[in-house]
Amino acid sequence: MIIDCHGHYTTAPAQLQAFRDAQLAHFRDPSKPEPALAAISDDEIRESIENNQLRLLRERGADLTIFSPKASGMAHHEGDLAISQVWSRISNDLIHRVCTLFPENFIGVCQLPQNPEAPVETSVEELRRCVLELGFVGANLNPDPSGGWWKGRPLTDRSWYPLYEALVELDVPAMIHVSGSCNDNHHHTGAHYLNADTSAFMQLIQGDLFADFPDLRLIIPHGGGAVPYHWGRYRGLADMLKKPPLAEHLMKNVFFDTCVYHQPGIDLLFEVIDVDNILFASEMLGAVKGIDPETGRYFDDTKRYVDALDIPESAKAKVFEGNARRVYPRLDAALKAQGR
Amino acid sequence: MIIDCHGHYTTAPAQLQAFRDAQLAHFRDPSKPEPALAAISDDEIRESIENNQLRLLRERGADLTIFSPKASGMAHHEGDLAISQVWSRISNDLIHRVCTLFPENFIGVCQLPQNPEAPVETSVEELRRCVLELGFVGANLNPDPSGGWWKGRPLTDRSWYPLYEALVELDVPAMIHVSGSCNDNHHHTGAHYLNADTSAFMQLIQGDLFADFPDLRLIIPHGGGAVPYHWGRYRGLADMLKKPPLAEHLMKNVFFDTCVYHQPGIDLLFEVIDVDNILFASEMLGAVKGIDPETGRYFDDTKRYVDALDIPESAKAKVFEGNARRVYPRLDAALKAQGR
């Protein structure tokens, strides 16, 4: 089977964004009414999925998406901790409804109620709820909850450890994924996302996080940002910083996805990164929506690029399925419970 | 001949850094003495170059380096405008001395006296001095003089235009190059540099800078950051933003260097970027100093990677020489005056 480890609910019914707008309006001006999420019917959810992610999943021949709230919508820099908690809960509950309506095609990954002013342990409760009550299999961890200003601490700082402890205890991985950028210098999908991937990887090189958390698993999306393209630089920097070789220092715990939207990029990724560290993903729907005039195919139809690789079928099976089952053990258990 | 378009004077005699330390100490505490640069002899400069950059240039079979002050040393976020002006002048004068001592091997590119609080027109005078009086052929332009906090405006903002006007008038290009990072999230050579390259390119996609400055030429170093690896994403984003194709929108004016420290990265660069837009460079000395255990060669010996490409000799000649002469017309003129 083919598992896409990185999809976002960018097509949620309009009631969700209306709630968010009203929530932030109320936060800024408490004289405005405190909103509640307007009812969303199952049919509305079905329609939003069947005409979009599910249609594309089927057209492209994939089976299941590991599904999370819209990344740019998390906006942990907006409002305060309480705002983030309510917003995360509502967003995650909607993912849960999608997964309940389409149990064979979607499984949840949660948004965390981070806030730049709040310690990360305040995210642990929502992580537990999503994993233990809603059947989610992972979390999206924002390394920059300040939204493009990078006011917080690197991922190797001990302040993050309570979250890592919970991830390890629950046996779920985190995808390192920023949200929107409120810094005009960094376009969100064209700069901030990739830069965050790159900075996160370098932070991990500088630190020794996996000495403290040998069982922690982190997915760096968008093909690892700039990292595979500059793999020589990173091997060299690890050496200059007197760290072990990357295979040993990081690559038992760090995984890259295949959200790289052209064949030469995917070719490079597979040339330099061990196939055990690559997870199939498309990031659909919406980061790059169009059709590549050079191929006549959607830029984000990343399955075609992987299909075109001259590697053994057994390697493709790892990338499409086996690695995801290994990195997300709760996904594997859920699939086995379905007889898959 | 073989021109390396990106080298830094990372090996300057210790008097330079001693001056800088004293300069900043005086800035922070005016009761401390106002320093002057201690005398540096020609022999000291010769030694610092002959044992380092020139030795490697010769060993690797290159001829000339377009040479600028140490990038992380620019530190435009330190002190104020006056500090930056004095520091830039001293740093550029030292580059000039190197170029005067080794006129066949080094030609200058200047550090600009930027400061996050100062308008960029305050850099024009030093640019003019370096080009018109010292024979420099370009400038390093820091897109983030706040040193990793990105507090300024994108490169397409009109506040940058006075500098672009001067660059066009003088017919010199700028390399977009940040300095050190004072944000712990972003290691300088492992994250901030590459992220700046990526953000700068995306800023240029979002804007229409070259409609206003059709003759402006910008070099994005470090192989263009994450851009070539994600070339499909950028082509798709340009399309989503209703911009012309990149070949037309940016690639008459934007150039990438070859500071990518492994063969697969260089292969990708040449696969996706037109050979007319690639300039040979190594970034030596110092970004990544070691020897790659996989090849037994220095990571930053980028000439080997270009030599190994299966492309016509005429294409290599462009990358090694022709493109640099075209992008840096004052370099071309200086070489012709030397009969080269």
Side-chain angles (χ1 to χ4, degrees):
Chain A
M1 68 183 295
I2 292 177
I3 299 166
D4 182 334
C5 83
H6 183 182
H8 296 297
Y9 196 12
T10 50
T11 57
Q15 294 93 314
L16 185 69
Q17 190 58 46
F19 167 81
R20 178 62 164 172
D21 294 343
Q23 183 199 36
L24 293 176
H26 172 72
F27 176 78
R28 290 178 198 123
D29 177 1
S31 75
K32 293 192 174 170
E34 190 171 347
L37 179 66
I40 298 174
S41 70
D42 284 354
D43 279 350
E44 284 176 289
I45 293 176
R46 277 194 199 96
E47 198 185 331
S48 75
I49 291 288
E50 282 177 348
N51 293 334
N52 294 297
Q53 288 86 352
L54 188 56
R55 175 177 61 82
L56 292 170
L57 202 70
R58 285 175 174 151
E59 282 177 15
R60 297 176 185 182
D63 299 292
L64 178 141
T65 294
I66 300 178
F67 204 50
S68 60
K70 184 170 140 181
S72 64
M74 299 190 295
H76 296 113
H77 54 278
E78 298 267 23
D80 58 13
L81 175 62
I83 289 283
S84 187
Q85 287 175 321
V86 171
W87 174 233
S88 296
R89 200 170 169 108
I90 283 176
S91 300
N92 291 331
D93 284 348
L94 206 57
I95 294 293
H96 179 54
R97 287 185 64 192
V98 172
C99 299
T100 305
L101 288 169
F102 300 97
E104 296 195 350
N105 305 111
F106 294 92
I107 197 159
V109 151
C110 66
Q111 166 180 334
L112 294 173
Q114 294 175 249
N115 177 270
E117 307 297 325
V120 81
E121 39 265 70
T122 55
S123 286
V124 172
E125 185 183 339
E126 179 66 2
L127 173 67
R128 285 189 184 282
R129 183 184 81 92
C130 290
V131 172
L132 299 177
E133 297 176 27
L134 307 186
F136 283 24
V137 300
N140 287 337
L141 171 58
N142 185 347
D144 172 30
S146 67
W149 295 111
W150 292 93
K151 293 180 182 169
R153 300 293 307 151
L155 290 169
T156 49
D157 191 83
R158 291 194 159 261
S159 57
W160 295 97
Y161 277 25
L163 184 69
Y164 300 147
E165 287 162 7
L167 289 166
V168 170
E169 182 203 323
L170 294 166
D171 203 13
V172 295
M175 179 175 279
I176 306 300
H177 202 310
V178 285
S179 184
S181 162
C182 41
N183 185 326
D184 282 349
N185 288 287
H186 310 302
H187 184 274
H188 67 305
T189 53
H192 187 43
Y193 284 19
L194 303 180
N195 292 351
D197 304 334
T198 306
S199 288
F201 191 79
M202 189 63 209
Q203 290 172 15
L204 296 174
I205 289 182
Q206 292 174 268
D208 287 297
L209 184 62
F210 304 116
D212 287 344
F213 294 99
D215 296 324
L216 180 63
R217 298 178 301 283
L218 301 177
I219 300 110
I220 301 188
H222 320 109
V227 172
Y229 177 45
H230 288 282
W231 196 238
R233 175 176 286 253
Y234 290 101
R235 290 194 289 111
L237 285 170
D239 182 57
M240 279 174 82
L241 294 169
K242 315 282 183 211
K243 299 294 183 182
L246 294 177
E248 192 183 319
H249 185 42
L250 301 185
M251 300 312 282
K252 293 173 189 162
N253 305 81
V254 172
F255 305 86
F256 298 143
D257 78 12
T258 64
C259 295
V260 178
Y261 293 159
H262 62 152
Q263 190 69 49
I266 291 288
D267 292 348
L268 173 92
L269 174 66
F270 280 79
E271 187 174 353
V272 299
I273 303 299
D274 193 287
V275 73
D276 289 327
N277 293 83
I278 303 174
L279 274 63
F280 172 67
S282 71
E283 197 187 356
M284 64 160 177
L285 188 111
V288 174
K289 282 183 183 157
I291 289 175
D292 186 343
E294 293 184 8
T295 64
R297 305 291 180 178
Y298 284 102
F299 283 108
D300 67 358
D301 187 357
T302 52
K303 183 166 168 292
R304 288 182 177 275
Y305 311 134
V306 179
D307 284 340
L309 291 168
D310 183 21
I311 57 172
E313 287 306 311
S314 59
K316 288 185 188 173
K318 284 181 175 183
V319 171
F320 282 134
E321 176 180 0
N323 294 343
R325 284 183 183 260
R326 179 165 50 87
V327 173
Y328 297 82
R330 285 176 182 267
L331 164 68
D332 185 51
L335 289 172
K336 283 181 176 149
Q338 291 177 347
R340 299 163 91 188
Chain B
M1 68 183 293
I2 292 177
I3 300 166
D4 182 335
C5 83
H6 183 182
H8 298 296
Y9 197 13
T10 48
T11 57
Q15 295 92 313
L16 186 68
Q17 189 59 47
F19 168 81
R20 177 63 165 172
D21 294 343
Q23 182 198 37
L24 293 177
H26 172 71
F27 176 78
R28 290 179 200 119
D29 177 0
S31 75
K32 295 195 172 167
E34 191 172 349
L37 179 65
I40 299 176
S41 70
D42 284 354
D43 279 350
E44 285 177 289
I45 293 176
R46 279 195 198 94
E47 196 186 333
S48 74
I49 290 288
E50 282 176 346
N51 293 334
N52 294 295
Q53 287 87 351
L54 188 57
R55 175 178 60 83
L56 291 169
L57 203 69
R58 286 173 174 152
E59 281 178 14
R60 297 176 186 182
D63 298 292
L64 179 140
T65 294
I66 300 178
F67 204 51
S68 60
K70 183 169 141 181
S72 63
M74 300 189 294
H76 297 114
H77 55 277
E78 299 267 24
D80 58 14
L81 175 61
I83 289 283
S84 188
Q85 287 173 322
V86 172
W87 174 233
S88 297
R89 202 171 167 106
I90 284 177
S91 299
N92 291 330
D93 284 348
L94 205 57
I95 293 293
H96 181 54
R97 288 184 65 192
V98 172
C99 300
T100 305
L101 288 169
F102 300 97
E104 298 194 349
N105 304 114
F106 294 92
I107 196 159
V109 151
C110 66
Q111 166 179 334
L112 295 172
Q114 295 176 250
N115 178 268
E117 307 298 324
V120 82
E121 39 266 69
T122 56
S123 286
V124 171
E125 186 183 339
E126 178 65 3
L127 173 68
R128 284 187 185 284
R129 184 183 79 92
C130 290
V131 172
L132 299 177
E133 297 175 27
L134 307 186
F136 284 25
V137 299
N140 287 337
L141 171 58
N142 184 347
D144 173 30
S146 66
W149 294 111
W150 292 93
K151 292 179 182 170
R153 300 293 306 151
L155 290 169
T156 50
D157 191 82
R158 291 194 158 262
S159 57
W160 295 96
Y161 277 26
L163 184 69
Y164 300 147
E165 286 161 9
L167 290 166
V168 169
E169 183 204 324
L170 295 165
D171 203 14
V172 296
M175 179 175 279
I176 306 300
H177 203 310
V178 286
S179 183
S181 163
C182 41
N183 184 326
D184 281 348
N185 288 287
H186 309 303
H187 185 275
H188 68 306
T189 52
H192 187 43
Y193 284 18
L194 304 180
N195 292 352
D197 304 334
T198 306
S199 287
F201 191 81
M202 189 63 207
Q203 291 171 15
L204 297 174
I205 289 183
Q206 292 174 268
D208 287 295
L209 184 61
F210 304 114
D212 286 343
F213 294 99
D215 296 323
L216 179 64
R217 298 177 302 283
L218 302 176
I219 300 112
I220 301 187
H222 321 108
V227 172
Y229 176 45
H230 288 282
W231 196 237
R233 174 176 287 252
Y234 289 101
R235 291 193 291 110
L237 286 170
D239 181 57
M240 279 172 82
L241 294 170
K242 314 284 184 210
K243 299 293 183 185
L246 294 178
E248 193 182 318
H249 185 42
L250 301 185
M251 300 311 283
K252 293 172 188 162
N253 305 81
V254 173
F255 304 86
F256 298 143
D257 77 11
T258 64
C259 296
V260 177
Y261 294 158
H262 63 153
Q263 190 69 50
I266 291 288
D267 292 348
L268 173 91
L269 173 65
F270 279 78
E271 186 175 354
V272 300
I273 303 299
D274 193 287
V275 73
D276 289 326
N277 293 84
I278 304 174
L279 273 64
F280 173 66
S282 71
E283 197 187 356
M284 63 159 175
L285 189 110
V288 174
K289 283 184 187 158
I291 289 174
D292 185 345
E294 293 183 8
T295 64
R297 304 292 181 179
Y298 284 103
F299 282 108
D300 67 0
D301 187 358
T302 52
K303 183 167 168 291
R304 288 182 176 274
Y305 311 135
V306 178
D307 284 340
L309 289 169
D310 183 23
I311 59 172
E313 286 307 310
S314 59
K316 287 184 190 172
K318 286 181 174 183
V319 171
F320 282 133
E321 177 180 1
N323 294 343
R325 285 183 183 259
R326 181 166 47 89
V327 173
Y328 298 81
R330 286 176 181 267
L331 164 67
D332 185 51
L335 289 171
K336 284 180 176 150
Q338 291 178 346
R340 299 163 92 186

